[in-house]
Amino acid sequence: MCQSEPSLLDPILLRPLLGSYAGRFDVDALAVCDSTSSELLRRVDAGAPSGTVVVADRQTAGRGRRGRSWLSAPADSLTFSLLWRFPGTPLELSGLSLVVGVALARALAALGARGVGLKWPNDILLRRTGEFAKLAGILIEMASDRRGTQAVIGIGLNLWAPAGELGQAAAGLADALAAGEPPERHAVLAALLLELVRVLDAFTVDGFAGQKSEWQRWHAWQDEPVRVVEDGRELLAGTCIGADTDGSLLVRSERGVERVLAGDVSLRHA
Ligand code: ATP
């Protein structure tokens, strides 16, 4: 399923870029994989430690939410999954995809990206004239046992805008940078992992509450009109007033403030 041919990414070159955090990660780089999250879930079953990272140049079955696919091409994207263990139950981890978004936004901004915004619950957008285009996606899957909960955090970042029809606007990191081209991939992965370890450590202590105000600063549609849809059907329309401490989305509609839980729903700008 996953082959160990030489990969574009060399964990030995990554190590010095992680500085004092290098010991928190165990990075395996693959040329080809079905999905880095599927591979990591298999490794969870085999007892992989927290901080295990699987990065792959090419995914043959990259996944989004609810069976949707994530498309990527080796030189144009960075796709990886990170295993993180938390004490407690999956229910206590609501808000995890939001803090992962904060980590990505911080890291991309530190690399010089401008116009990055977060879309609840799991997308990183790039603000362009008149529209938002999807720059990265996050997919979180959880498994729990008596020691706590393992989260497999899957991330797909476009370095260059993907070619082909995706059904929605897409952008690459290159589009967000003055240089017009992305930094070298080891530098990008290191920047992402360094912010991830910081937000995940903070999340373990304070949950989403500790990072809610920062999430709202990155939130692309804060105080803007939105629609909540399920299978193309509108469930709710109103003004998006942010996220609650449990990670749910708050929308002010004619009926008052309504809470939207991440699940089968999608958010659209109205
Ligand atoms: P939601 O709004 O519910 O989050 P979504 O359409 O963003 O829905 P996800 O599961 O988050 O769904 O992501 C999968 C979707 O992202 C695909 O259906 C496709 O439209 C889009 N997509 C797939 N690959 C890429 C990519 N490389 N860059 C940008 N968008 C992509």
Side-chain angles (χ1 to χ4, degrees):
M1 196 86 64
C2 293
Q3 298 169 11
S4 50
E5 302 159 19
S7 156
L8 293 173
L9 202 127
D10 182 347
I12 293 172
L13 298 180
L14 185 70
R15 233 185 133 71
L17 304 179
L18 295 171
S20 59
Y21 288 102
R24 303 284 301 272
F25 299 104
D26 180 2
V27 180
D28 192 11
L30 305 168
V32 187
C33 190
D34 52 350
S35 133
T36 56
S37 287
S38 302
E39 172 61 16
L40 198 46
L41 284 163
R42 291 189 286 269
R43 294 186 188 192
V44 169
D45 292 340
S50 189
T52 302
V53 176
V54 173
V55 51
D57 299 344
R58 188 160 69 84
Q59 298 190 112
T60 54
R63 296 186 280 116
R65 295 200 299 156
R66 290 178 279 153
R68 289 189 287 243
S69 9
W70 183 262
L71 303 180
S72 57
D76 297 350
S77 50
L78 184 61
T79 49
F80 68 98
S81 297
L82 164 67
L83 171 64
W84 211 258
R85 292 185 190 268
F86 297 92
T89 65
L91 274 181
E92 294 162 51
L93 301 186
S94 60
L96 180 57
S97 73
L98 278 60
V99 299
V100 169
V102 167
L104 266 57
R106 276 191 203 169
L108 297 176
L111 291 168
R114 295 290 166 264
V116 172
L118 298 179
K119 177 187 156 205
W120 182 93
N122 68 325
D123 289 342
I124 316 297
L125 304 180
L126 182 65
R127 191 185 299 268
R128 298 200 293 213
T129 357
E131 67 163 10
F132 287 92
K134 192 152 149 181
L135 186 59
I138 299 164
L139 178 70
I140 298 204
E141 292 162 296
M142 301 205 202
S144 53
D145 60 22
R146 62 191 157 72
R147 288 180 299 163
T149 302
Q150 290 87 243
V152 168
I153 301 167
I155 292 170
L157 167 69
N158 301 323
L159 298 177
W160 296 96
E165 187 41 55
L166 289 171
Q168 54 180 303
L173 179 55
D175 301 312
L177 294 169
E181 60 178 79
E184 201 279 322
R185 69 179 51 239
H186 292 80
V188 178
L189 181 57
L192 297 177
L193 291 176
L194 287 172
E195 287 302 344
L196 280 164
V197 69
R198 292 183 187 120
V199 302
L200 294 173
D201 281 349
F203 182 77
T204 303
V205 177
D206 296 328
F208 176 60
Q211 294 174 65
K212 188 183 96 153
S213 57
E214 184 174 355
W215 185 85
Q216 292 191 170
R217 285 200 298 279
W218 288 110
H219 181 204
W221 299 338
Q222 185 71 19
D223 300 319
E224 293 197 20
V226 293
R227 298 185 305 121
V228 177
V229 298
E230 184 178 26
D231 296 328
R233 192 170 56 93
E234 182 172 298
L235 299 180
L236 171 64
T239 303
C240 188
I241 58 170
D244 206 351
T245 47
D246 63 355
S248 55
L249 186 78
L250 299 174
V251 177
R252 182 177 291 117
S253 75
E254 301 164 332
R255 297 188 290 261
V257 175
E258 305 197 46
R259 176 186 300 274
V260 183
L261 302 173
D264 287 352
V265 297
S266 299
L267 191 65
R268 299 285 175 260
H269 198 238

